[in-house]
Amino acid sequence: STQSTWGFFEKMSCWLLAALVLVAGVLLSLPPVQDALLPDKEAPVLFEVADTGDAPRDLYLSDEQKYNFGRWTSPIVRPVLHPLTVAQALVQKKEWEFVAFSTSRYLIGLAVGQLSYAGTGFVYVFDALTSKALVHTSLLPLGLRTQVSNSSIDGCSSYSFMSLAIAICRAPGAGPDDTRYQVTASAVFPDSTSLSLNVHTSSRQNSGGALVLSYPIGPK
């Protein structure tokens, strides 16, 4: 009975290894991006960055199958990438939202990441008085309990698992250049220090420099 059970597990291990090799081969054969969308790094094209004022609504123009490139002083409403196949979205699509706050003593950074095959949350706190840093990271497979908004001015990005919860929400403000933010977070760090954060703020158009930069870097 022991020998038959061991033989069964050996066969299952061989089949699993063969399946993993097959999947790896398929994934490695996928093109990293659509060549028609981004220039080739082997033949770089000179791109001049110029202030163009308000940003376009969409980062990717689906009708023309190309991206908007430039530098703008207002958010892009829909920073959505070109369409991906199911396999490409699984291994290539990476979405992040990062926010940071600072006071006279503390620097606090929070991030939500959606990698399709994994979701992640991150909180960082630095105490300038004691020079002590606290870090809490969390990871869940298949992007479970993870959401990244498709809009720069509306919607929420969030991550929640066990002792870490992050929500970054935004909504249009009083004017076209104003976005309201509400950021909440709770975390218990490895040394048992706890954090509870609830911030309400807004952003207005920044006329002193670039807020959004879209630039072609080409495929790897």
Side-chain angles (χ1 to χ4, degrees):
S1 176
T2 303
Q3 290 181 348
S4 62
T5 302
W6 178 250
F8 171 77
F9 280 112
E10 280 187 326
K11 291 180 180 179
M12 288 296 295
S13 299
C14 291
W15 279 109
L16 179 60
L17 179 60
L20 290 175
V21 171
L22 179 62
V23 171
V26 172
L27 295 179
L28 289 174
S29 66
L30 294 174
V33 293
Q34 298 178 15
D35 294 337
L37 296 176
L38 296 174
D40 191 348
K41 273 190 173 181
E42 300 300 324
V45 178
L46 180 64
F47 178 75
E48 181 178 354
V49 177
D51 288 317
T52 56
D54 292 339
R57 176 177 174 81
D58 296 289
L59 177 62
Y60 178 69
L61 303 174
S62 56
D63 294 339
E64 303 178 36
Q65 295 188 347
K66 69 175 185 179
Y67 282 94
N68 274 312
F69 295 126
R71 183 172 66 181
W72 304 286
T73 54
S74 64
I76 296 177
V77 176
R78 295 184 67 254
V80 180
L81 303 179
H82 62 273
L84 300 173
T85 65
V86 175
Q88 285 176 325
L90 181 62
V91 297
Q92 297 177 11
K93 187 177 182 181
K94 298 174 178 63
E95 299 176 302
W96 293 88
E97 180 152 4
F98 177 83
V99 295
F101 305 97
S102 62
T103 68
S104 58
R105 178 173 176 176
Y106 295 103
L107 172 64
I108 302 173
L110 308 95
V112 173
Q114 171 63 277
L115 312 180
S116 295
Y117 53 85
T120 182
F122 170 91
V123 175
Y124 172 88
V125 179
F126 176 74
D127 187 340
L129 183 62
T130 63
S131 296
K132 181 181 179 180
L134 298 172
V135 180
H136 190 327
T137 60
S138 179
L139 188 70
L140 279 174
L142 303 177
L144 298 174
R145 302 179 66 86
T146 309
Q147 173 183 312
V148 177
S149 174
N150 286 330
S151 172
S152 295
I153 64 172
D154 200 4
C156 291
S157 297
S158 61
Y159 178 88
S160 175
F161 181 63
M162 296 184 68
S163 60
L164 178 62
I166 302 171
I168 306 169
C169 297
R170 67 200 67 75
D177 303 323
D178 186 19
T179 301
R180 305 284 182 174
Y181 288 88
Q182 180 179 6
V183 179
T184 59
S186 61
V188 179
F189 295 96
D191 67 351
S192 298
T193 300
S194 61
L195 168 72
S196 180
L197 182 71
N198 188 356
V199 177
H200 294 259
T201 185
S202 65
S203 65
R204 297 185 180 276
Q205 185 176 15
N206 178 15
S207 59
L211 176 65
V212 177
L213 176 64
S214 173
Y215 184 81
I217 59 174
K220 293 184 178 180

